[in-house]
Amino acid sequence: LAIAFVLGSGGVVVGFMRWLWWRLNAAGELAASITGWGVAPLLLLGVFDEPARWVFDPTATFSTDGDLLGARMLFMAIVVTGMAVAVSLNTQPTHVDRLKEFVRRARPIPLGWRPVIRQLDATAGPYEGLLRTLVSWAIATLCVLTLLFGIGQVLLGGPLIGAGCLVVFAITLWLTIRRINQDTAEFDEAIN
């Protein structure tokens, strides 16, 4: 389980970055993936234990100490993200037409996409604000988690809690679908 957390922590940041920064490209993502798969075994085999002792505690075992799982995850996220950024900046960016098409369809938060958005004409459509994006993300996350937890509770002997979670799931699923339909309608209006 710790291996999955450590390995996954690097990829999560890079996955989000693809939506937040126009410059991250496929080469950067590939380098990040290879780096994660290369560094995780070294991390868990103790290669970084000695340097970590300087940072944390002279008796700490960075590779196996359960209290340092978060530190291992943070270490992986920093290393993998750093590699993705370095490789992306040192390779050709994704072709601008492909970036423009992505912006037209996905309408990402403008903050990291301004250079591409400036090149678009008025047909790009409205962009979702950061607050609406975060609320949509929170609702969808709650939807998935209440479904999983609700099914688990129903199957493992907590039917009341499970039923409550499934009710919350149904409500958040409805809200998620409604928000997607609103966003799609706004996009269709903007391009027609």
Side-chain angles (χ1 to χ4, degrees):
L1 187 58
I3 294 171
F5 285 146
V6 170
L7 190 57
S9 60
V12 168
V13 174
V14 174
F16 279 125
M17 281 180 60
R18 186 68 175 209
W19 285 86
L20 300 174
W21 187 42
W22 73 275
R23 191 58 179 88
L24 187 68
N25 59 21
E29 284 189 84
L30 180 61
S33 181
I34 292 169
T35 299
W37 282 99
V39 172
L42 297 175
L43 178 66
L44 298 173
L45 290 173
V47 171
F48 301 103
D49 281 355
E50 192 59 39
R53 286 187 181 107
W54 298 340
V55 176
F56 299 108
D57 179 4
T59 61
T61 307
F62 192 53
S63 58
T64 58
D65 190 341
D67 292 335
L68 295 177
L69 176 61
R72 288 191 298 271
M73 292 170 65
L74 179 62
F75 174 79
M76 282 296 291
I78 290 169
V79 169
V80 168
T81 302
M83 180 60 74
V85 169
V87 170
S88 291
L89 290 174
N90 287 297
T91 57
Q92 290 292 322
T94 304
H95 193 273
V96 71
D97 290 337
R98 179 166 274 209
L99 293 172
K100 286 178 181 179
E101 184 61 26
F102 176 81
V103 168
R104 280 190 190 98
R105 289 177 179 258
R107 294 175 299 145
I109 298 169
L111 180 65
W113 286 85
R114 289 203 200 297
V116 178
I117 291 170
R118 282 188 203 117
Q119 296 180 24
L120 289 171
D121 54 8
T123 63
Y127 295 92
E128 186 172 82
L130 179 61
L131 181 60
R132 181 169 169 84
T133 299
L134 292 175
V135 170
S136 296
W137 174 81
I139 291 170
T141 301
L142 184 62
C143 179
V144 171
L145 291 177
T146 54
L147 173 64
L148 295 173
F149 192 69
I151 290 172
Q153 285 295 310
V154 168
L155 294 176
L156 298 175
L160 241 54
I161 294 172
C165 286
L166 292 175
V167 168
V168 173
F169 159 73
I171 293 167
T172 54
L173 178 64
W174 175 77
L175 285 171
T176 300
I177 292 170
R178 184 171 168 238
R179 289 174 86 85
I180 290 170
N181 287 338
Q182 287 171 347
D183 292 344
T184 304
E186 288 174 10
F187 179 70
D188 288 344
E189 282 178 23
I191 62 172
N192 290 329

